[in-house]
Amino acid sequence: MLTRKQFELLRFIHERLTEAGVPPSFDEMKDALDLRSKSGIHRLITALEERGFIRRLPNRARAIEVIKLPDSVGHGVGNGRARKFTPSVIEGDLGRVRQVAAEDDTSGRPIAVPVMGRIAAGTPIEAIQTKSHVINMPPDLLSTGEHFALEVRGDSMIEAGILDGDIALIRRSEVADTGDIVVALIDDEEATLKRFRRRGASIALEPANAAYEVRILPPNRVRIQGKLVGLFRRY
């Protein structure tokens, strides 16, 4: 599975190879994806290569080969008619569980909550949208709404009691209040677990570890995906 930016870059590279026979330059990729620096392109290229979608040929400048395309688009990418891709890290049918009704409190029937991949509690990593497995939760631990779980990677939230390897239980929400610990999707590309605060017209994503810096971002670069409502740890 790919993030929106990874998909857009793969499509752009494929279309340029099909039309011109050569891949685009990093500057062309940066402009096409409206990114601020080529470092973001390098991250996306590395991610596509690690996932087996492209291959960089050694000792040759601008040598990129598209090995495969996502199954969901088939050959549509090549003619520029691929349907629009929307990251479903936490959205859509993935991560959807039935609402917890009052009668569930007495039934005790566990609810299967999907574990949707990993979330960074540290330097943001690429959003992962693969449903790896499910965990069964007692209904009285879930509030009304949709829930999903993510495996925590990193140590930036250790002072909030969130450790590397923990499973974070998240209630899906597109809004947050100051002080909430949230899943934030940055630039539709990177996901992180941080404390949410508003600072004037900006959004602050705060770590709970003095070794990490607060990230101050404009609202149009941040999408709230959910709020932390529980934490699970194996010993």
Side-chain angles (χ1 to χ4, degrees):
M1 303 288 285
L2 300 177
T3 66
R4 184 200 302 273
K5 291 294 187 182
Q6 290 166 6
F7 181 90
E8 290 176 351
L9 181 59
L10 179 62
R11 181 173 60 184
F12 181 63
I13 293 171
H14 182 79
E15 290 177 349
R16 182 60 64 87
L17 283 169
T18 301
E19 295 169 359
V22 295
S25 68
F26 269 45
D27 282 323
E28 290 171 328
M29 296 180 203
K30 177 174 68 69
D31 292 342
L33 271 67
D34 195 27
L35 295 180
R36 292 172 173 79
S37 70
K38 288 187 284 188
S39 64
I41 293 296
H42 178 75
R43 266 199 322 273
L44 294 173
I45 289 288
T46 299
L48 288 173
E49 188 172 33
E50 289 175 347
R51 287 160 173 77
F53 287 94
I54 65 171
R55 177 167 55 210
R56 284 182 284 191
L57 305 180
N59 304 319
R60 291 175 57 186
R62 290 179 57 177
I64 298 175
E65 178 184 8
V66 175
I67 300 173
K68 65 178 181 179
L69 301 174
D71 293 337
S72 60
V73 298
H75 298 291
V77 175
N79 58 23
R81 296 292 186 269
R83 65 172 177 260
K84 184 177 179 182
F85 175 82
T86 301
S88 54
V89 181
I90 299 159
E91 299 177 319
D93 292 333
L94 293 177
R96 182 178 295 277
V97 296
R98 63 188 178 87
Q99 278 197 335
V100 180
E103 56 267 23
D104 291 325
D105 292 337
T106 57
S107 70
R109 180 178 299 173
I111 294 176
V113 176
V115 179
M116 300 303 299
R118 296 171 179 165
I119 185 73
T123 303
I125 57 176
E126 288 148 354
I128 297 177
Q129 47 189 351
T130 302
K131 176 180 173 181
S132 59
H133 60 286
V134 300
I135 54 175
N136 291 316
M137 297 295 304
D140 57 357
L141 293 183
L142 301 178
S143 57
T144 301
E146 301 169 18
H147 296 78
F148 58 93
L150 293 165
E151 183 181 353
V152 175
R153 281 286 174 258
D155 62 356
S156 75
M157 297 300 290
I158 57 174
E159 293 173 15
I162 303 170
L163 308 182
D164 183 76
D166 286 350
I167 299 295
L169 179 64
I170 308 295
R171 179 170 60 83
R172 183 181 171 190
S173 176
E174 296 179 354
V175 297
D177 298 319
T178 288
D180 288 339
I181 294 177
V182 303
V183 173
L185 190 63
I186 303 171
D187 295 331
D188 286 333
E189 178 185 346
E190 298 174 325
T192 190
L193 187 69
K194 292 291 183 291
R195 194 174 297 279
F196 173 91
R197 295 194 190 279
R198 293 195 180 276
R199 292 194 179 181
S202 299
I203 289 174
L205 298 177
E206 296 182 350
N209 184 336
Y212 292 83
E213 295 183 352
V214 177
R215 295 192 68 177
I216 309 295
L217 299 165
N220 63 347
R221 294 184 58 193
V222 178
R223 282 203 295 150
I224 302 302
Q225 302 280 276
K227 300 180 182 182
L228 179 73
V229 295
L231 202 64
F232 303 90
R233 183 175 304 152
R234 291 193 180 99
Y235 292 94

